[in-house]
Amino acid sequence: MEAPGGDEYFMSKALQLAKEAADADEIPIGAVVVHKGRIIGKGFNQTERLNDVTAHAEMLAITAAASALNNKFLEECTLYVTVEPCLMCAGAIRWARLDKVVYGCKEPKTGYSNELNTEKLGHTEVCPGPLADEARSLMQEFFRRRRG
C-alpha cells in the first residue's frame, strides 16, 4: 500500500467502511470524501438500517463532507468509493461539484461512472481501479453468503 494520502490509502479507508456495511448486513460499499489530503466525509450503505433507498455510501459521505465544509459544493474534493456509483449517486456527485471520483470495481448492472464526464452532466475526472479486486471480492462474498 502506498504512503498515506494516495489513492490506494484512501480507497483502503473506503474498504474498511464497506466491511462495516457487510458486518451490518448491508451491501458492502464504502465511501470517503477527501479535501486537501484529509477525509472530511465518510459513509457506508445503510439502506436497510435507515429504510431509505437513498442511503448509499456516496450520498452519506457527500452529506457529511458538505457539513464539514459548511458548503453544498465540494469543489477541490475527491470521492473514493469501493464500487462504481449508480445513476442517483452520479447525479449527486455532479450537483455537489466533486472534482474527481475514484472507484474500486465496476458495477456492470447499475454503474454510471461514464455519465460523470459528459457535456450534459459536467466534467468530473473518473479513475477506476485502485483495490478493485478487494472491493469485488467483498461484494462477491457478501452475495454468496446472502444467497446461502
Side-chain angles (χ1 to χ4, degrees):
M1 185 170 308
E2 58 189 62
D7 286 347
E8 283 188 18
Y9 172 79
F10 290 119
M11 187 61 72
S12 73
K13 297 301 183 185
L15 275 167
Q16 288 174 359
L17 291 164
K19 290 173 186 171
E20 285 185 48
D23 291 343
D25 205 30
E26 296 277 358
I27 294 175
I29 300 175
V32 297
V33 175
V34 175
H35 179 255
K36 297 182 179 179
R38 188 172 64 92
I39 295 174
I40 60 166
K42 57 186 178 178
F44 60 84
N45 272 13
Q46 296 185 50
T47 59
E48 300 299 326
R49 178 185 297 169
L50 300 176
N51 288 315
D52 181 354
V53 296
T54 68
H56 289 196
E58 301 95 313
M59 303 295 273
L60 298 172
I62 287 169
T63 298
S67 180
L69 291 180
N70 197 30
N71 192 334
K72 65 183 178 182
F73 298 124
L74 301 177
E75 295 163 329
E76 299 181 7
C77 291
T78 299
L79 171 72
Y80 291 85
V81 60
T82 57
V83 176
E84 181 182 16
C86 71
L87 182 59
M88 174 183 69
C89 293
I93 288 162
R94 286 310 311 136
W95 283 111
R97 298 183 185 170
L98 282 147
D99 288 346
K100 183 177 177 182
V101 172
V102 179
Y103 68 85
C105 65
K106 289 285 283 177
E107 175 35 86
K109 292 181 183 176
T110 61
Y112 275 84
S113 64
N114 290 340
E115 301 303 316
L116 291 170
N117 196 1
T118 65
E119 287 298 322
K120 191 170 191 175
L121 288 180
H123 297 284
T124 298
E125 183 181 354
V126 178
C127 301
L131 305 180
D133 292 339
E134 292 88 336
R136 187 178 308 101
S137 293
L138 189 59
M139 290 286 280
Q140 289 171 340
E141 179 58 31
F142 175 81
F143 285 109
R144 203 174 294 124
R145 276 194 331 264
R146 184 175 264 189
R147 291 180 188 115

